[in-house]
Amino acid sequence: MSVSFTRSGVVAGFRTCLPVAVGVGGYGIAFGVLARQAGLSVAEATLMSAVVLAGASQLIAVELWDAPLPVLAIVVTTLIVNLRYVLMSASLRPWFKEISPARAYGSLFFVTDESWALSIADLREGAGRGAFLLGAGLAIWVLWVATTAAGAAVGGVIGDPQRYGLDFVLSAIFVAIAVGLWRGREDLLPWVVAAGVAVVGAEALPGRWYILLGGVLGSVVAVVRRG
Amino acid sequence: MALVTYATKAGGLWLLGRVDVGERTEAGLDALPGAIIVAIVAPELVDGGPPEWTAAALAAVVAWKTENLLAALVVAMVAVVALRSL
């Protein structure tokens, strides 16, 4: 499998991800507003978005924010909430083993639910654009950082993102990506298991454990059936 | 927080570089992306109502017919905003 790492790959990723990044921006504004209410400065909130780039864990960190800062609790929660990224980066291995470690590990900073999903869909189609994740992630990063700053600066002036349907952007894009990833009947059972486990897990477990659990068990179904 | 997050993002690729991946593990890895995405979106859809379900179905149909993500996204957004305002 030949995988390239080119400027045109970055551009393709950026373009494809831009409309999705606008939806992420709705959350960026919400995060900025919440961060300010929790006592972070505009600079602190913006810096957190720039270096962490993981929305769910940032929202939780802001909820835990207090004086003195509960550093250990924040770090441990961040680890747990973001464990799903381990699965996502593992799934990139067939393509990323073909590009240099510096490029691969540099690109991985830009893994988010959205940039990863778009990249895996693009890589599966066989275009071999190893730089797609970097471009898609940059689109998310720019919007996420800018809207965090904007949200933190204006505080509560902006209304509920739900009013503009922005809360639904991510669901819609994930549905469309799932359709593109469908490989046929072999996927049916793993997907049903993943969906069922995730729905039950989302009710019963804290944080984002349901994504990890649903993803792992869906994948285990495929492993067991192979054996 | 930044370091821990990066460790998770890099960790999967790193770990797989250190173990031999057999055929069965390969089958699991092939199924993984779809399973993760379904696990992300299923609870969100269950939490929604008829506007979200209709819009999601439209997104699926448009994505299926056109293979164009942007078209699917636009149709779904127009649908959800319109249906919620009914």
Side-chain angles (χ1 to χ4, degrees):
Chain A
M1 181 169 0
S2 111
V3 177
S4 64
F5 196 90
T6 60
R7 181 182 293 252
S8 69
V10 176
V11 172
F14 192 91
R15 282 210 185 124
T16 308
C17 197
L18 204 52
V20 180
V22 171
V24 170
Y27 285 96
I29 289 172
F31 170 71
V33 171
L34 291 170
R36 271 309 284 286
Q37 287 171 358
L40 282 80
S41 68
V42 175
E44 284 168 343
T46 310
L47 181 66
M48 191 195 279
S49 282
V51 300
V52 178
L53 189 65
S57 64
Q58 287 180 231
L59 280 167
I60 292 170
V62 157
E63 254 166 58
L64 295 173
W65 209 265
D66 204 354
L69 203 59
V71 174
L72 186 65
I74 289 179
V75 168
V76 171
T77 322
T78 301
L79 177 66
I80 291 169
V81 173
N82 290 338
L83 267 180
R84 68 187 188 284
Y85 292 139
V86 176
L87 293 187
M88 295 181 187
S89 86
S91 73
L92 288 167
R93 169 115 194 126
W95 300 277
F96 273 31
K97 70 181 181 196
E98 308 290 334
I99 61 178
S100 77
R103 285 168 168 172
Y105 286 104
S107 296
L108 286 173
F109 170 77
F110 293 97
V111 165
T112 62
D113 292 351
E114 298 81 18
S115 60
W116 166 80
L118 289 168
S119 300
I120 207 84
D122 186 71
L123 291 166
R124 275 272 180 88
E125 280 181 11
R129 295 190 284 212
F132 193 95
L133 173 66
L134 176 60
L138 278 170
I140 301 265
W141 187 85
V142 168
L143 268 287
W144 180 241
V145 173
T147 53
T148 298
V154 301
V157 180
I158 295 192
D160 187 356
Q162 202 166 352
R163 210 172 60 206
Y164 314 104
L166 285 177
D167 58 304
F168 191 69
V169 170
L170 303 182
S171 301
I173 205 76
F174 284 125
V175 167
I177 290 171
V179 169
L181 287 181
W182 176 256
R183 293 175 300 166
R185 285 190 57 181
E186 60 180 314
D187 276 329
L188 185 61
L189 195 58
W191 286 27
V192 168
V193 170
V197 169
V199 167
V200 175
E203 293 292 325
L205 301 168
R208 297 275 169 135
W209 278 108
Y210 66 93
I211 297 177
L212 195 67
L213 206 59
V216 166
L217 290 180
S219 165
V220 163
V221 168
V223 173
V224 170
R225 209 170 34 185
R226 186 58 160 264
Chain B
M1 227 190 133
L3 291 179
V4 168
T5 302
Y6 180 73
T8 60
K9 290 179 178 181
L13 185 70
W14 185 83
L15 282 174
L16 281 184
R18 262 136 206 87
V19 294
D20 276 333
V21 178
E23 201 178 290
R24 294 177 64 177
T25 315
E26 196 93 31
L29 285 176
D30 285 345
L32 194 52
I36 296 173
I37 289 186
V38 170
I40 291 174
V41 79
E44 289 175 9
L45 290 180
V46 169
D47 274 346
E52 287 79 17
W53 300 335
T54 311
L58 283 172
V61 170
V62 174
W64 180 264
K65 294 290 177 197
T66 67
E67 294 185 10
N68 185 331
L69 282 177
L70 188 56
L73 184 59
V74 169
V75 168
M77 295 311 296
V78 170
V80 83
V81 171
L83 290 169
R84 278 178 181 173
S85 67
L86 289 181

